Every structure is written in structure tokens, then in C-alpha cells.
Amino acid sequence: MVALVNPATYPAGSLLHGYQLRLPSFEGPLDVLLRLVERSQLDITEISLVAVTDQFLIHVRGLAAVAPDAIAEFVAVAGRLVLLKSRSLLPRPPAADDDGEPDDLITQLVEYRAVKEAARLLGAKDERGDGAFARASAAVEAPAAAAPPPLALHASSSLARALRRRLSAVPSPAAEIAHRPLLTLREMVERVLRVVRGGEPEAVAFSRIRRGCRDRHEVLTAFLAVLVLVRRRVLDAEQTELFGEIALRATDTASSTDPEVAGAGMPAIATD
Amino acid sequence: MTDPTANTSLPVDQPALDGTAGVASADLPALLEALLLVAPQPPTIDELARGAGVDPAEIEDALSRLQERHGRGWVLQRHGDTVQFATAPRFAAQVRRFLNLDREARLSGAALETLAIVAYQQPVTRAEIEAVRGVDCAGVLATLHARGLIEQIGRLPTVGNPIQYGTTPDFLRHFGLGSLAELPSLGEVGGRDARGALEAAVAAAALEQPASS
Amino acid sequence: MTDPTANTSLPVDQPALDGTAGVASADLPALLEALLLVAPQPPTIDELARGAGVDPAEIEDALSRLQERHGRGWVLQRHGDTVQFATAPRFAAQVRRFLNLDREARLSGAALETLAIVAYQQPVTRAEIEAVRGVDCAGVLATLHARGLIEQIGRLPTVGNPIQYGTTPDFLRHFGLGSLAELPSLGEVGGRDARGALEAAVAAAALEQPASS
């Protein structure tokens, strides 16, 4: 997998002049640096890193079109190379205590080359396609059982327990079933109209109607009643924000409407 | 550790000379082993021939050579045109143990519940049992019958003459009972006498029965 | 006796002396073949030992004898504590043709690098991989995970509890490996043992991790 676009254009003498690396997304700065080092046929040493620093900087300059975070990774490596180069050019006190940064880069490069080697070995296997395949299911059918498995002994108490559990779920015929008075949609329409008209000329909040409801079913019926009345243009409803309060107001045309008329044709929907 | 079969004096054990398309005749039995291992269904001779890239006649030949190999854990089975592995009969006991085939079966919750209704309320019809359990019980009753735990002990003289079930002597043995009189007391459920609740539930079903069936 | 395997010219072919429980040591590899063929899931050593009625140590010994047998169409694959058969890598082309499988897409360079770090250095975190490769690896890891080649095998008890990755049984099969021990040797790079360099790289990354994550 050669990343060089046009290796033939390198003029002799200026090694890798105009060097361009095709940059597939996976290639990071270490990859580029390692290729530069190997291209120069140098060992990975402090000296060789200095030797390829200019070429790396040229490469970084050509990265304008690449995503900023990818460039950052390259620039970080470029910075370390420049530091390395400056140290090789400037006289340093013999006992200068450096922070080991250049050595780190060399170490990292050696380690990265180990990864490349491992990847190359796996890639060769991948290329050959010497895959192994596992069976989809049992390759062999289990021997047929001569008879169904014997039944384990059970405790007789398990029978009583199973039956008691069932009977406790059966409603007792003698038990009283509590009946709640049903509230029809028609009745709710009347109630809503009464409340809204009672509040005129002010708008009435839906929450006020809701407070008068005994349970969730009644709240749902009340909401349904409001929708019906809005659809019939008996009420105007306004909600200024999501999940906000709903303001209800009787329309002008409806002020004289008899509740019986408003609810006419309404099916008597029970709330329960 | 030296495996006697590793001594490959037989030409049959030579690896393939060409790994891509064809395969050496000597390696064909091993290739068939591989194909039989991954086959989702027992393959036919023709399917094996297509996979191996050889004639069906060569497959037949290789299969007979494969069959002759000794010290294997399997045997080849032919059903019509298809081939598959089966475990060697001499390992039947170990295979059954490995697959837990000899484990004792336990009655499911549904089976226990149905059996309990039959035991405490016999003779009882399927409709009566279903009235108490609220679900279809045909499958469970068939299982209990196949297990020899319940049997037909009569028929109701109503429309359709429904079968009445009762428990068998095997039922008593499986539950360690000397007689039906030794069935544990049902006690109370929800403040009611459980025995009475059961009878009431069955009686309610009996009232509906002539109409429903 | 119609079992062809009963023709016992080789010592390995001796049928079990006792058909119910024990099996002759020489016949243990064949028994394991039978158990591995019927197992619905790759069994563990302990499950094989229980089925065969022998010690786990004897299973290990028999497995290595089974592994050494040549001219077979399948190989043993070990993943963690489990064992299973897979087809011999030399038959990959024929098996693909038999199963109508296309060759999987080749892995990219980035995928191979990342996979190599996971394979040789597992368990390993994303941060460790990125420290070694010097680039973001989230996308590559997602791809490898989607192809079933790597999986989460743990979490580090450090800040953020980063996921630790390892290879899957599919990884072994894709590369035709019997176990991770069969990964190719890495040799030397830059005058250093490559395996050691890789270990050092991940170890160095691990030191930085609590701060970086």
C-alpha cells in the first residue's frame, strides 16, 4: 500500500522534494513520519528524525483541507520534531537536563513500527483468506431418546399450592363489585360550559376544570369535552407554550347556545 | 504425546497440494469432514461435489474412505441422497449425559395447576377446568394424559357428552400419596374456604355448560 | 455389532470398556470429537469433563492429542475456556463455495493496525490504542466491532471506566487461528523485540490514562 502519488518526480539530491502523501483517513502523523524515515533508509535514531523534520513540516503545510483535530495531531508531532532539530543545532551544556521528549518520540516510533509489523502479518493472513468456519448448529443430531425423560417425584403440597394460587386470582362471586356513577361526555360538556360561562368575561383555565374532577378518567373526559366544544366553535382554547396552561373562553356565537344544543348528537360515552 | 493416527503412512492423510480451487484426491475425505461440519442441513452428494469441485463419483469414493477411518467419535449416516455425521454408538451414554438428556422432567406450573383441579374436583370436565383456569387446557390435559397422571373416568350426560377426568394410580405414586384422601388440605384463600371457592367456580361453569357446548 | 469403528486394529480404536460411565483414555479424543459435534454451544472444559466423566486435566490432555491428529478437515479453536471445531483453514475456498459465501471485504490498513494492537495486547482500551497509533480510533473500533472481530471484555476501574477490548472467536476464525497463542511471532523492530515494544507502548499509554480520561 504505497502512499506516494508520484514517486518519479523526486529530483535527485533534494530528497522527496515535492513529496506528497496521499492521506487516507487512517494515516496519522506517526504513520507519515515512519514512512519518511523508511523512505530515507535511515535507522530510527535522533539523527534520522532531524533529517526528516523538514519533509514532515512540508507535509503538515499541505494539510489545509484536513479536519482541524487531525491537523492538531500532526502539528503536535511537528512541534516535537522542531524541538529535536533545534537541540541538534544549538550548543547545549553537557549536563543539560532535557525532558526526554525526543527520546519519547523515537520510542513511540519504534513501538508504532511494531504495530505495523503485527498489522502486516495479520494483513498477509487476511489477504490469503485462510479463514476457518464454525458450524451453524450442532453438526450431529443428538441421539433420539428412547422414551420421554422420566417424571420427577413431586411433593403433594405443590398441588395445593398451585391451586390456591389460581383460586386467589378468581374473583369471589359473593364479593360486591363497587359501581362508580358513570359520567357521560354529554354531562361533562354541560359542566365545562357552566364553568366557562360562570367565569365570563375572564378566560377560565383548564386546570380549574381539572381540579373539579374526581379521577383520571374524568380528567380525560373533561379534556375530550373541551375538544368537542372547540371543534363546534362553542369555546376558544389558547395555549401559549408547550404543556402550558390552556385558557378557555366562550365564543360570541356560543354565548346564547344552550348546553343541550352544544351537546346534541353527542354519544353518551361512559368515563369508565 | 504421540497419537497413533498421526503416523501418516496412509496417502489419505496428505494435505491438499492446491489450497484455492481443486483439492488433492487424498485430501478429499478431510475436505468432506469440513463441509459436513459447516453444513446447515445434511447435504446431498451433489452439493458436496459442487462445494469440493469434484465429480459426485469422487465424493462417493471419498465418503467410503472417510467411513473406514477408525478412532473417530462419529459415524457417517446416509439418508437417501443426503449424508450427515452421527455420534459413534459406543459414546451414546456420554453424549446423553453431556446433553442432559436423562434429566428428570418436572411438571410445569400450568400442568400442576390443571392436575390439582382434576385431583381435588374429580370427576371434572375440560370446560369446568377451563372455567377455573381461564385459559384453554387441551394441550395440558393431553400431556397429563400421556404421562399417565389423569384418565377418562366418565362422561357427562349433557350436550356433547363431555369427558370427565380423574387421576390415576400413577398420579398417587408420583405424589407419594396413599389415596386421594391424603391430598393436603387447601386451607383458605382471601378469607374464604379454598375448597368451597373451587366448587363454586366449577359449579358456575357447569351451569353454562349445556348452552356453551 | 454393526458399528464399523468396532474394527479395532489400532489401540486408539478400543471401545470404552464400560459403555455407561468411563471411557478408555485412548478413546477420549474420539469421545471429545463426538461431544464437540453434538454440543449446541461451544462447551467449556468443565462441561466436557462432566459429559466424559473424567477430570478436566484429562480433557486438556485429550484435546492436545486431538489437535495433533493430522489429515483432518477441522481444527480445534480455543477461546477463553471454551472449545469448538472450525474447518481447516486450507479448505477456506471450498467451504465458501459450499456455503455460497462471498469473501469478506479485506481489512483496511487502519483496521489491521488497530486489530493487531487489540489482538497482541488485549485487554486494551481505546485510549491505549490511540496513544500507540497517534490518531483517533473511534471509527475503526466501531467497524471492527460491527464485523464481530472485537468485543468488550471488561472495563478499567479508573476514571470514566473505559471499555477494554479483546478479540472474539470470529477473529480467530477469520485469521484461521486455533487460539491467540497461534498469533504470528512479531520478530524485531529497530533493534528491539517487537512484542516487548508493543507491550511497552500500551503500558506507557496506560500510565497516562487516568489523567487523560
Side-chain angles (χ1 to χ4, degrees), chain B residues 31-165:
Chain B
L31 171 57
L32 292 184
E33 269 187 339
L35 298 186
L36 288 170
L37 181 73
V38 291
Q41 301 292 329
T44 64
I45 301 293
D46 285 348
E47 285 164 351
L48 290 170
R50 195 186 54 80
V54 300
D55 292 339
E58 289 179 76
I59 297 294
E60 291 283 6
D61 178 59
L63 281 175
S64 63
R65 279 187 283 153
L66 191 58
Q67 181 78 69
E68 283 162 13
R69 295 191 176 181
H70 304 303
R72 299 292 166 93
W74 42 261
V75 292
L76 281 177
Q77 280 186 341
R78 302 279 300 252
H79 293 285
D81 198 28
T82 64
V83 192
Q84 73 179 118
F85 286 129
T87 54
R90 69 184 188 282
F91 295 133
Q94 288 87 354
V95 168
R96 291 179 61 80
R97 182 169 54 199
F98 179 66
L99 294 176
N100 267 328
L101 292 182
D102 293 326
R103 195 180 35 194
E104 287 187 326
R106 299 202 64 84
L107 292 171
S108 68
L112 267 179
E113 196 179 294
T114 307
L115 188 55
I117 295 168
V118 175
Y120 282 90
Q121 204 52 44
Q122 54 193 304
V124 65
T125 66
R126 180 180 143 193
E128 289 166 343
I129 296 165
E130 290 175 349
V132 178
R133 295 196 60 224
V135 289
D136 184 278
C137 297
V140 182
L141 284 170
T143 305
L144 292 173
H145 191 264
R147 282 267 179 215
L149 296 171
I150 62 170
E151 63 188 346
Q152 175 181 345
I153 58 172
R155 275 181 180 277
L156 262 193
T158 57
V159 181
N161 276 33
I163 292 170
Q164 292 179 301
Y165 294 98

Side-chain angles (χ1 to χ4, degrees), chain B residues 187-198:
Chain B
E188 292 202 344
V189 285
R192 294 179 288 148
D193 170 51
R195 188 72 198 234
L198 177 62

Side-chain angles (χ1 to χ4, degrees), chain C residues 50-81:
Chain C
R50 196 185 53 79
V54 300
D55 292 339
E58 290 178 76
I59 297 294
E60 291 282 5
D61 177 60
L63 283 175
S64 63
R65 280 186 282 155
L66 193 57
Q67 181 80 301
E68 283 163 14
R69 295 189 176 182
H70 302 301
R72 296 293 169 91
W74 50 58
V75 292
L76 278 177
Q77 278 191 337
R78 304 275 306 246
H79 185 260
D81 197 30

